Amino acid sequence: MPDDPLDSNTLARLKEFSLTHPLVRNLMVSADGRHTLITATVPSEPQSADAQRALRGEIDTVLEPFRAEGLRFTVLALPLVEEEVRRTLGADLRRFVPAALGLLLAILWLAFRSWRLLLLVLITVFAVFWCSSFPPVVHFGLLSAAAFLGGLGGVLVFLPAGLCRWPTR
């Protein structure tokens, strides 16, 4: 953006150029002159989530005075798409994970109708999720994971059988 405002003569020449030049008209500026493509180049692509958020903030800060005048902007850039997906995914997870857990508890309660079995299944489910990120399983590979899950499978088979034989009161 120029530091000084453009005079009316320069603006008229720029408008004429944008609406008549074959490489600009219908590519960067619509035929009626109401829509345009603005390209911006950043020195380096932001890699971290914080850098992407900072880039989004800088762009919004630059565009805010124009938005205040009633102009509309659609910003599209890969780092901003990543930031948007990360933000909306976080919001969706905060909303849907508790709902999914509640539904899971309701279905398990309807299936087992026993607090002991419900607790056993929940412990098993959380153990499997925890073990998928358990450092020895991750770092020692498939053989270690198979041995661990084999042991867990034995617990899953024999422990419920033992629980079912417990007397209920």
Side-chain angles (χ1 to χ4, degrees), residues 2 8 53 122 137 149 163:
S8 60
R53 258 191 308 281
L122 288 177
V137 173
L149 290 177
L163 283 176

Side-chain angles (χ1 to χ4, degrees), residues 31-49:
D32 61 2
R34 292 178 41 98
H35 305 282
T36 188
L37 170 71
I38 301 172
T39 60
T41 305
V42 293
S44 64
E45 183 176 329
Q47 299 296 325
S48 69

Side-chain angles (χ1 to χ4, degrees), residues 74-153:
T74 302
V75 179
L76 179 65
L78 185 58
L80 300 181
V81 171
E82 290 177 22
E83 188 264 337
E84 178 80 17
V85 167
R86 189 177 295 111
R87 189 167 30 92
T88 56
L89 182 62
D92 288 348
L93 285 175
R94 283 188 294 278
R95 182 180 310 128
F96 293 122
V97 166
L101 287 176
L103 182 64
L104 174 70
L105 284 174
I107 290 171
L108 288 174
W109 173 251
L110 289 173
F112 295 119
R113 301 227 185 235
S114 164
W115 288 110
R116 283 189 217 147
L117 286 176
L118 179 65
L119 184 62
L120 176 68
V121 170
L122 288 177
I123 289 171
T124 304
V125 167
F126 288 118
V128 168
F129 283 127
W130 178 74
C131 290
S132 66
S133 63
F134 190 58
V137 173
V138 172
H139 295 296
F140 293 129
L142 186 60
L143 181 61
S144 177
F148 182 79
L149 290 177
L152 184 62

Side-chain angles (χ1 to χ4, degrees), residues 16-32:
E16 178 67 25
F17 172 82
S18 299
L19 294 175
T20 58
H21 195 281
L23 295 178
V24 177
R25 185 173 190 254
N26 290 331
L27 296 174
M28 294 186 73
V29 176
S30 64
D32 61 2

